[in-house]
Amino acid sequence: MRKFVIGLIAIVFLILVMDPKIIPTKVDAPLDISIEATAERIARGDYLANHVWVCMECHSQKNNQFYSDPVKPGTEGMGGLLFDSEFGQIYASNITPYEIDHWTDGELLLAITEGVNKNGDALFPFHPYTLYGKKDIEDVYSVIAYLRTLPSIQNDVPKRDTKLWANVLVRFMPKPATFIQKPDSSNTIDHGKYLSGVCARCHTPQINGKPDPDMFYAGGLDHPLSDTEIIRSSNLTPDMETGIGNKNKENFIGIFKAFDSEDSKMILIPKGARESNTPMAWTQFAGMTENDLGAIYDYLRTLPPIKNRVEKYGVK
Ligand code: HEC
Ligand code: HEC
């Protein structure tokens, strides 16, 4: 009898947490909006989605025989990239009109910035909604306007196949967005801070899966390169010996701009030498303007210098 009662309670609990209609995730209802697709918005959205917020880095097919796995031209937004983790297998969604024609602007805004899709399912945080939910809503509108101009690519992405505990956990993660007004671009430090959000995600080491606030931008976060090898992100604090302290602005911009040509998107990785690759989306970030890259540099120079020598390659 006791076992039966415990079993019953467990089943009721699971039904409650699994069905978003019974206990809704703590996010807003989709806004009833209609985003006007001005030329200015489409251009801004293109720039953000491809070069700053790098949506296309995850939502496209990649040329993974080339250094830095550049996006395969013509696959922008089609989705299908597999994120294989302890949660299970999760595929980046198709975000071309083939899929999003069935979505309202409000539903897209909610998915991108609060992590809940049009069926009310919580998204796995591989999609960095907490980052986009702290940006200027006008910039998100621009990205949505741009997505609607993408060529429609007929690609049905496999449904995610995740563990039950992971589905329960993820249901409690979404939270309402807290949009801000983007700083004026003449204020280079604040402007650089605004643009650099995606960089911190990889360049800050973590404790228990959360960024370590005492090591903000100090580098050393592991990224798998192969089944046996890892690469660690660089220290971007202005420490003279172990960070970017001895790089001037031109050096910094130059590292990125070296990947701005068509040739630099076709640097073959020698066979059996995965260690010579990188998860850093050089070829995408290279499309940022020199002004914006310079602003990111100016912002990074204001961080407290942290001495942290990063050994770039390692084994798992
Ligand atoms: C680091 C990788 C990554 C980046 C960067 C990223 N996404 Fe995602 N996105 C994903 C993954 C993976 C999913 C699927 C998550 C899931 O199924 O739980 C997803 C889901 C979505 C969805 C939900 C679609 C659906 O059918 O449920 C939308 C919309 C979306 N992303 C748009 C964007 C936009 C726009 C950007 C840039 C502003 C972006 N994503 C950046 C990985 C990413
Ligand atoms: C997906 C994770 C990831 C993201 C996002 C990312 N980086 Fe990196 N970055 C790395 C890793 C790993 C390395 C070390 C390997 C390499 O040099 O390519 C690196 C290296 C660097 C270097 C060192 C290059 C050198 O030659 O010493 C700079 C500078 C840099 N990143 C800046 C940035 C900036 C600025 C952003 C945001 C616009 C950013 N990164 C976003 C992972 C990332």
Side-chain angles (χ1 to χ4, degrees):
M1 183 64 189
R2 243 181 89 195
K3 268 197 190 137
F4 174 76
V5 173
I6 292 173
L8 196 69
I9 292 173
I11 289 169
V12 170
F13 174 76
L14 276 179
I15 292 173
L16 285 178
V17 294
M18 291 306 296
D19 189 340
K21 281 165 216 77
I22 301 179
I23 301 183
T25 29
K26 280 211 265 335
V27 295
D28 305 311
L31 290 180
D32 183 13
I33 45 170
S34 167
I35 299 168
E36 198 196 332
T38 61
E40 198 185 348
R41 273 195 178 138
I42 293 168
R44 173 76 178 163
D46 180 341
Y47 182 66
L48 291 172
N50 286 291
H51 305 301
V52 187
W53 292 354
V54 293
C55 318
M56 296 309 158
E57 165 71 8
C58 296
H59 285 279
S60 312
Q61 298 289 310
K62 311 291 282 295
N63 257 331
N64 53 16
Q65 75 272 37
F66 296 138
Y67 184 69
S68 172
D69 301 345
V71 170
K72 255 189 209 155
T75 69
E76 285 82 0
M78 73 180 273
L81 208 69
L82 168 65
F83 291 75
D84 201 359
S85 70
E86 68 272 29
F87 309 122
Q89 277 95 43
I90 297 150
Y91 299 85
S93 327
N94 185 342
I95 53 172
T96 72
Y98 176 70
E99 169 63 31
I100 63 169
D101 270 356
H102 313 294
W103 293 53
T104 66
D105 288 340
E107 286 167 344
L108 279 170
L109 178 72
L110 200 69
I112 296 168
T113 61
E114 302 193 4
V116 174
N117 73 11
K118 68 175 274 154
N119 306 326
D121 297 327
L123 299 176
F124 277 80
F126 291 108
H127 169 81
Y129 55 86
T130 49
L131 179 75
Y132 307 135
K134 292 194 196 87
K135 297 295 170 193
D136 193 323
I137 197 167
E138 175 50 40
D139 273 346
V140 187
Y141 286 174
S142 295
V143 168
I144 294 173
Y146 164 70
L147 294 181
R148 297 217 185 272
T149 69
L150 284 171
S152 190
I153 304 179
Q154 189 174 346
N155 179 35
D156 295 303
V157 170
K159 260 182 84 79
R160 67 190 189 197
D161 181 11
T162 43
K163 313 245 166 63
L164 181 64
W165 64 265
N167 294 342
V168 173
L169 186 76
V170 85
R171 289 258 299 106
F172 294 93
M173 292 174 135
K175 41 179 180 303
T178 47
F179 296 110
I180 58 165
Q181 181 142 32
K182 83 181 140 212
D184 194 284
S185 59
S186 62
N187 180 345
T188 59
I189 293 172
D190 286 354
H191 178 60
K193 181 177 179 192
Y194 179 78
L195 294 169
S196 67
V198 296
C199 323
R201 193 164 54 88
C202 288
H203 282 275
T204 304
Q206 300 180 343
I207 309 180
N208 299 327
K210 292 236 158 68
D212 178 355
D214 296 332
M215 294 291 278
F216 193 51
Y217 273 110
L221 186 69
D222 287 0
H223 296 268
L225 270 185
S226 68
D227 292 342
T228 51
E229 292 147 322
I230 54 153
I231 188 168
R232 301 184 187 95
S233 58
S234 325
N235 182 344
L236 299 185
T237 73
D239 183 59
M240 284 308 277
E241 286 164 43
T242 64
I244 59 162
N246 61 5
K247 283 192 174 67
N248 65 27
K249 198 189 278 194
E250 284 66 41
N251 300 150
F252 184 85
I253 296 173
I255 305 175
F256 287 84
K257 287 296 174 188
F259 292 92
D260 206 15
S261 69
E262 284 312 309
D263 285 354
S264 63
K265 297 186 176 81
M266 290 191 281
I267 304 171
L268 267 176
I269 304 165
K271 263 210 161 32
R274 286 297 291 176
E275 74 277 5
S276 57
N277 202 358
T278 177
M280 168 92 190
W282 289 110
T283 56
Q284 293 210 273
F285 291 130
M288 264 194 264
T289 63
E290 297 201 359
N291 249 341
D292 284 354
L293 286 167
I296 292 179
Y297 175 84
D298 287 343
Y299 163 64
L300 292 172
R301 298 292 300 201
T302 66
L303 296 172
I306 301 175
K307 203 164 282 315
N308 183 34
R309 191 173 299 285
V310 174
E311 199 64 60
K312 193 159 166 179
Y313 298 106
V315 285
K316 273 188 186 167

